Amino acid sequence: MTSIFKFTFRQHTASRSYRVSTVIVAVLLLTAGYFGFFIADLVMGSEKVSDITRVMVCDSSVLSGTDYNVLHESGNENYKNVVFENSDLDVEKTTDKLKNTGTECVLEVTNDEKGGFKLRLIKPEGFEAEKKSASHLSSFIESGLRYVIYESAGLSAEQKQEMMRRTAFEISVAGEDGGSLGDEMAKNIIPLLLGVFMYIMLCMYGQGVARCIVVEKDSKMMESLLVMTKPYDLIFGKILGMYLAAVVQIALWLAAAVTGVMAGISSTASGSKVSDFFAQLSVRGGFSAGAVAVGIISLLVGFLLYIALAAFTGSFASKTEEINNYFGIYTMVVVICWMFPYMNQLNGNDHMLGILRYIPFSATFMVPADVVIGNTGIVTGVISIAVSAAVTVAVVYLAAKVYKALVLYRG
């Protein structure tokens, strides 16, 4: 098996198409990462001076009575004209009081069940500020709430740091489709990007693996190979060789993309916003060293599972012309296992998502992103990895079994 593995890996990585595509795609991703982030910062991240003039704060949390004007300590000049005032009335009466003022809104602050804070920015009837003003203001308040906590608690520098590490924020904007950009990315955008990435990689490499499995059947090499090695060693070596070649190529592409994005962040004014976003995800349990490690391992195991599945479908074909017939089934499985979890994610079906995280074929598209951004715990990720690894071994064994049976008994 070792010789088959080394031969398959060297043959694939030494090909001109592999090396040229690796370099070209890496350069494109590096460029796209930099200019894509730079353009996104100009189009989406550039905020004007807020046209909201006053925010009435209805605070029933432990922060009640704190002066929310300390938010201006963040130094964001776009909101220096916004005045925060504590209201003595409840939310309904305060909202009614600001009816038809046009540029004033209400901030409701409560404690959530996890001991953190839940903020809701309410636009009264007759609110006439720009469409995105409330959304931008909510992001400003969310990222600067630490200053309110500091002001309320009067903590030392060490205590403030510990408080921020433990405290999670949740924010929504009443009357708009969703909350802050951080929440939107954590819930929808990052899982979607992972799904698209995995779909492209699985289809691209899956077809290559399927063809690699069947190529000897369509030539006169089979008799010679079966003299030199066993069918099980042959298919195991091919799967692992193609898998490692794919992982190396993907790792280089991801490194290029990350380098481009980091360069884009360092050259724009959004660096602090990105830092705040990752800080909030860290509070939720995401982007810790353990979460990232579990996410990467889950991604690698899931990718190997689908590579094994591609080999399994390819082992049924007798000629390379038949690959498309069997590969269609593989593609259908990939699409279903990607879209079904994502649709449940959009619908907020947490019960179904909890089940899908333990089903290996759907977990591949969910667990890596969920663990990294903190949507699920590390323990769940570890259990999912164990189940996926066991199923991967079973699929590889079945692929070898089918390959052996069709080669030795059907030709």
Side-chain angles (χ1 to χ4, degrees), residues 72-91:
H72 296 305
E73 293 181 9
S74 64
N76 193 325
E77 295 295 320
N78 292 323
Y79 303 96
K80 63 181 180 180
N81 62 315
V82 181
V83 177
F84 294 88
E85 294 183 15
N86 290 320
S87 176
D88 297 328
L89 305 175
D90 59 24
V91 175

PDB file of all heavy atoms in Angstrom, residues 72-91:
ATOM      1  N   HIS A  72     -18.890  56.945  23.323  1.00  0.00           N
ATOM      2  CA  HIS A  72     -18.078  57.817  22.470  1.00  0.00           C
ATOM      3  C   HIS A  72     -16.586  57.684  22.759  1.00  0.00           C
ATOM      4  O   HIS A  72     -15.751  58.192  21.999  1.00  0.00           O
ATOM      5  CB  HIS A  72     -18.512  59.275  22.644  1.00  0.00           C
ATOM      6  CG  HIS A  72     -19.921  59.530  22.188  1.00  0.00           C
ATOM      7  ND1 HIS A  72     -20.363  59.211  20.931  1.00  0.00           N
ATOM      8  CD2 HIS A  72     -21.000  60.070  22.838  1.00  0.00           C
ATOM      9  CE1 HIS A  72     -21.644  59.550  20.809  1.00  0.00           C
ATOM     10  NE2 HIS A  72     -22.060  60.059  21.952  1.00  0.00           N
ATOM     11  N   GLU A  73     -16.243  56.989  23.849  1.00  0.00           N
ATOM     12  CA  GLU A  73     -14.829  56.768  24.158  1.00  0.00           C
ATOM     13  C   GLU A  73     -14.160  55.856  23.136  1.00  0.00           C
ATOM     14  O   GLU A  73     -12.939  55.756  23.089  1.00  0.00           O
ATOM     15  CB  GLU A  73     -14.688  56.176  25.556  1.00  0.00           C
ATOM     16  CG  GLU A  73     -15.087  57.142  26.672  1.00  0.00           C
ATOM     17  CD  GLU A  73     -14.921  56.520  28.044  1.00  0.00           C
ATOM     18  OE1 GLU A  73     -14.334  55.414  28.127  1.00  0.00           O
ATOM     19  OE2 GLU A  73     -15.380  57.127  29.029  1.00  0.00           O
ATOM     20  N   SER A  74     -14.977  55.176  22.327  1.00  0.00           N
ATOM     21  CA  SER A  74     -14.401  54.314  21.287  1.00  0.00           C
ATOM     22  C   SER A  74     -13.691  55.131  20.216  1.00  0.00           C
ATOM     23  O   SER A  74     -12.882  54.597  19.447  1.00  0.00           O
ATOM     24  CB  SER A  74     -15.495  53.471  20.633  1.00  0.00           C
ATOM     25  OG  SER A  74     -16.429  54.301  19.950  1.00  0.00           O
ATOM     26  N   GLY A  75     -14.006  56.421  20.133  1.00  0.00           N
ATOM     27  CA  GLY A  75     -13.322  57.299  19.188  1.00  0.00           C
ATOM     28  C   GLY A  75     -13.906  57.290  17.786  1.00  0.00           C
ATOM     29  O   GLY A  75     -13.309  57.866  16.871  1.00  0.00           O
ATOM     30  N   ASN A  76     -15.059  56.671  17.591  1.00  0.00           N
ATOM     31  CA  ASN A  76     -15.692  56.643  16.270  1.00  0.00           C
ATOM     32  C   ASN A  76     -16.374  57.981  16.018  1.00  0.00           C
ATOM     33  O   ASN A  76     -17.383  58.317  16.631  1.00  0.00           O
ATOM     34  CB  ASN A  76     -16.711  55.499  16.192  1.00  0.00           C
ATOM     35  CG  ASN A  76     -17.155  55.230  14.761  1.00  0.00           C
ATOM     36  OD1 ASN A  76     -17.282  56.139  13.949  1.00  0.00           O
ATOM     37  ND2 ASN A  76     -17.407  53.963  14.458  1.00  0.00           N
ATOM     38  N   GLU A  77     -15.828  58.747  15.085  1.00  0.00           N
ATOM     39  CA  GLU A  77     -16.307  60.098  14.825  1.00  0.00           C
ATOM     40  C   GLU A  77     -17.679  60.130  14.148  1.00  0.00           C
ATOM     41  O   GLU A  77     -18.351  61.160  14.150  1.00  0.00           O
ATOM     42  CB  GLU A  77     -15.300  60.848  13.946  1.00  0.00           C
ATOM     43  CG  GLU A  77     -13.951  61.092  14.625  1.00  0.00           C
ATOM     44  CD  GLU A  77     -14.093  62.020  15.821  1.00  0.00           C
ATOM     45  OE1 GLU A  77     -14.860  63.003  15.733  1.00  0.00           O
ATOM     46  OE2 GLU A  77     -13.448  61.764  16.854  1.00  0.00           O
ATOM     47  N   ASN A  78     -18.099  58.996  13.565  1.00  0.00           N
ATOM     48  CA  ASN A  78     -19.378  58.978  12.861  1.00  0.00           C
ATOM     49  C   ASN A  78     -20.576  59.092  13.798  1.00  0.00           C
ATOM     50  O   ASN A  78     -21.687  59.381  13.348  1.00  0.00           O
ATOM     51  CB  ASN A  78     -19.511  57.695  12.035  1.00  0.00           C
ATOM     52  CG  ASN A  78     -18.544  57.655  10.865  1.00  0.00           C
ATOM     53  OD1 ASN A  78     -18.270  58.675  10.243  1.00  0.00           O
ATOM     54  ND2 ASN A  78     -18.012  56.481  10.573  1.00  0.00           N
ATOM     55  N   TYR A  79     -20.359  58.864  15.097  1.00  0.00           N
ATOM     56  CA  TYR A  79     -21.482  58.865  16.046  1.00  0.00           C
ATOM     57  C   TYR A  79     -21.301  59.889  17.170  1.00  0.00           C
ATOM     58  O   TYR A  79     -22.008  59.840  18.168  1.00  0.00           O
ATOM     59  CB  TYR A  79     -21.649  57.459  16.643  1.00  0.00           C
ATOM     60  CG  TYR A  79     -21.868  56.416  15.580  1.00  0.00           C
ATOM     61  CD1 TYR A  79     -20.806  55.667  15.093  1.00  0.00           C
ATOM     62  CD2 TYR A  79     -23.124  56.215  15.033  1.00  0.00           C
ATOM     63  CE1 TYR A  79     -21.000  54.733  14.094  1.00  0.00           C
ATOM     64  CE2 TYR A  79     -23.328  55.279  14.035  1.00  0.00           C
ATOM     65  CZ  TYR A  79     -22.265  54.534  13.567  1.00  0.00           C
ATOM     66  OH  TYR A  79     -22.453  53.615  12.577  1.00  0.00           O
ATOM     67  N   LYS A  80     -20.383  60.833  16.975  1.00  0.00           N
ATOM     68  CA  LYS A  80     -20.122  61.804  18.023  1.00  0.00           C
ATOM     69  C   LYS A  80     -21.303  62.738  18.261  1.00  0.00           C
ATOM     70  O   LYS A  80     -21.434  63.344  19.332  1.00  0.00           O
ATOM     71  CB  LYS A  80     -18.870  62.620  17.684  1.00  0.00           C
ATOM     72  CG  LYS A  80     -18.990  63.455  16.413  1.00  0.00           C
ATOM     73  CD  LYS A  80     -17.705  64.210  16.140  1.00  0.00           C
ATOM     74  CE  LYS A  80     -17.824  65.061  14.867  1.00  0.00           C
ATOM     75  NZ  LYS A  80     -16.564  65.807  14.602  1.00  0.00           N
ATOM     76  N   ASN A  81     -22.186  62.836  17.248  1.00  0.00           N
ATOM     77  CA  ASN A  81     -23.347  63.725  17.391  1.00  0.00           C
ATOM     78  C   ASN A  81     -24.555  63.025  18.023  1.00  0.00           C
ATOM     79  O   ASN A  81     -25.579  63.657  18.289  1.00  0.00           O
ATOM     80  CB  ASN A  81     -23.765  64.268  16.021  1.00  0.00           C
ATOM     81  CG  ASN A  81     -24.199  63.165  15.070  1.00  0.00           C
ATOM     82  OD1 ASN A  81     -23.530  62.143  14.973  1.00  0.00           O
ATOM     83  ND2 ASN A  81     -25.307  63.370  14.376  1.00  0.00           N
ATOM     84  N   VAL A  82     -24.459  61.709  18.275  1.00  0.00           N
ATOM     85  CA  VAL A  82     -25.575  60.961  18.847  1.00  0.00           C
ATOM     86  C   VAL A  82     -25.576  61.133  20.370  1.00  0.00           C
ATOM     87  O   VAL A  82     -24.570  60.880  21.031  1.00  0.00           O
ATOM     88  CB  VAL A  82     -25.489  59.465  18.496  1.00  0.00           C
ATOM     89  CG1 VAL A  82     -26.685  58.708  19.090  1.00  0.00           C
ATOM     90  CG2 VAL A  82     -25.435  59.277  16.982  1.00  0.00           C
ATOM     91  N   VAL A  83     -26.695  61.569  20.915  1.00  0.00           N
ATOM     92  CA  VAL A  83     -26.829  61.775  22.355  1.00  0.00           C
ATOM     93  C   VAL A  83     -27.620  60.615  22.949  1.00  0.00           C
ATOM     94  O   VAL A  83     -28.690  60.254  22.452  1.00  0.00           O
ATOM     95  CB  VAL A  83     -27.551  63.104  22.665  1.00  0.00           C
ATOM     96  CG1 VAL A  83     -27.753  63.263  24.164  1.00  0.00           C
ATOM     97  CG2 VAL A  83     -26.756  64.277  22.089  1.00  0.00           C
ATOM     98  N   PHE A  84     -27.096  60.024  24.012  1.00  0.00           N
ATOM     99  CA  PHE A  84     -27.772  58.923  24.701  1.00  0.00           C
ATOM    100  C   PHE A  84     -28.362  59.446  26.009  1.00  0.00           C
ATOM    101  O   PHE A  84     -27.650  60.061  26.816  1.00  0.00           O
ATOM    102  CB  PHE A  84     -26.793  57.781  24.990  1.00  0.00           C
ATOM    103  CG  PHE A  84     -26.280  57.093  23.750  1.00  0.00           C
ATOM    104  CD1 PHE A  84     -25.146  57.573  23.091  1.00  0.00           C
ATOM    105  CD2 PHE A  84     -26.927  55.978  23.239  1.00  0.00           C
ATOM    106  CE1 PHE A  84     -24.666  56.941  21.956  1.00  0.00           C
ATOM    107  CE2 PHE A  84     -26.457  55.349  22.098  1.00  0.00           C
ATOM    108  CZ  PHE A  84     -25.325  55.826  21.459  1.00  0.00           C
ATOM    109  N   GLU A  85     -29.650  59.212  26.206  1.00  0.00           N
ATOM    110  CA  GLU A  85     -30.326  59.651  27.424  1.00  0.00           C
ATOM    111  C   GLU A  85     -31.074  58.482  28.053  1.00  0.00           C
ATOM    112  O   GLU A  85     -31.740  57.717  27.352  1.00  0.00           O
ATOM    113  CB  GLU A  85     -31.322  60.778  27.116  1.00  0.00           C
ATOM    114  CG  GLU A  85     -30.677  62.071  26.634  1.00  0.00           C
ATOM    115  CD  GLU A  85     -31.705  63.161  26.420  1.00  0.00           C
ATOM    116  OE1 GLU A  85     -32.851  62.987  26.917  1.00  0.00           O
ATOM    117  OE2 GLU A  85     -31.383  64.162  25.756  1.00  0.00           O
ATOM    118  N   ASN A  86     -30.974  58.348  29.381  1.00  0.00           N
ATOM    119  CA  ASN A  86     -31.715  57.309  30.086  1.00  0.00           C
ATOM    120  C   ASN A  86     -33.165  57.730  30.252  1.00  0.00           C
ATOM    121  O   ASN A  86     -33.466  58.867  30.614  1.00  0.00           O
ATOM    122  CB  ASN A  86     -31.096  57.039  31.456  1.00  0.00           C
ATOM    123  CG  ASN A  86     -29.741  56.360  31.346  1.00  0.00           C
ATOM    124  OD1 ASN A  86     -29.561  55.480  30.515  1.00  0.00           O
ATOM    125  ND2 ASN A  86     -28.788  56.778  32.170  1.00  0.00           N
ATOM    126  N   SER A  87     -34.067  56.815  29.962  1.00  0.00           N
ATOM    127  CA  SER A  87     -35.497  57.098  30.053  1.00  0.00           C
ATOM    128  C   SER A  87     -36.074  56.547  31.354  1.00  0.00           C
ATOM    129  O   SER A  87     -35.726  55.442  31.784  1.00  0.00           O
ATOM    130  CB  SER A  87     -36.233  56.473  28.861  1.00  0.00           C
ATOM    131  OG  SER A  87     -37.626  56.656  28.976  1.00  0.00           O
ATOM    132  N   ASP A  88     -36.979  57.316  31.970  1.00  0.00           N
ATOM    133  CA  ASP A  88     -37.670  56.872  33.184  1.00  0.00           C
ATOM    134  C   ASP A  88     -38.933  56.089  32.859  1.00  0.00           C
ATOM    135  O   ASP A  88     -39.573  55.527  33.756  1.00  0.00           O
ATOM    136  CB  ASP A  88     -38.032  58.079  34.055  1.00  0.00           C
ATOM    137  CG  ASP A  88     -36.786  58.823  34.544  1.00  0.00           C
ATOM    138  OD1 ASP A  88     -35.757  58.147  34.745  1.00  0.00           O
ATOM    139  OD2 ASP A  88     -36.854  60.061  34.690  1.00  0.00           O
ATOM    140  N   LEU A  89     -39.310  56.047  31.576  1.00  0.00           N
ATOM    141  CA  LEU A  89     -40.534  55.363  31.152  1.00  0.00           C
ATOM    142  C   LEU A  89     -40.203  53.962  30.644  1.00  0.00           C
ATOM    143  O   LEU A  89     -39.039  53.641  30.389  1.00  0.00           O
ATOM    144  CB  LEU A  89     -41.225  56.172  30.053  1.00  0.00           C
ATOM    145  CG  LEU A  89     -41.539  57.637  30.380  1.00  0.00           C
ATOM    146  CD1 LEU A  89     -42.112  58.332  29.154  1.00  0.00           C
ATOM    147  CD2 LEU A  89     -42.504  57.724  31.559  1.00  0.00           C
ATOM    148  N   ASP A  90     -41.234  53.138  30.490  1.00  0.00           N
ATOM    149  CA  ASP A  90     -40.986  51.811  29.925  1.00  0.00           C
ATOM    150  C   ASP A  90     -40.791  51.931  28.416  1.00  0.00           C
ATOM    151  O   ASP A  90     -40.917  53.017  27.831  1.00  0.00           O
ATOM    152  CB  ASP A  90     -42.128  50.851  30.265  1.00  0.00           C
ATOM    153  CG  ASP A  90     -43.484  51.335  29.735  1.00  0.00           C
ATOM    154  OD1 ASP A  90     -43.512  52.111  28.765  1.00  0.00           O
ATOM    155  OD2 ASP A  90     -44.521  50.934  30.315  1.00  0.00           O
ATOM    156  N   VAL A  91     -40.495  50.806  27.797  1.00  0.00           N
ATOM    157  CA  VAL A  91     -40.146  50.814  26.376  1.00  0.00           C
ATOM    158  C   VAL A  91     -41.301  51.312  25.507  1.00  0.00           C
ATOM    159  O   VAL A  91     -41.105  52.133  24.605  1.00  0.00           O
ATOM    160  CB  VAL A  91     -39.728  49.389  25.921  1.00  0.00           C
ATOM    161  CG1 VAL A  91     -39.473  49.366  24.413  1.00  0.00           C
ATOM    162  CG2 VAL A  91     -38.493  48.944  26.670  1.00  0.00           C
TER     163      VAL A  91
END
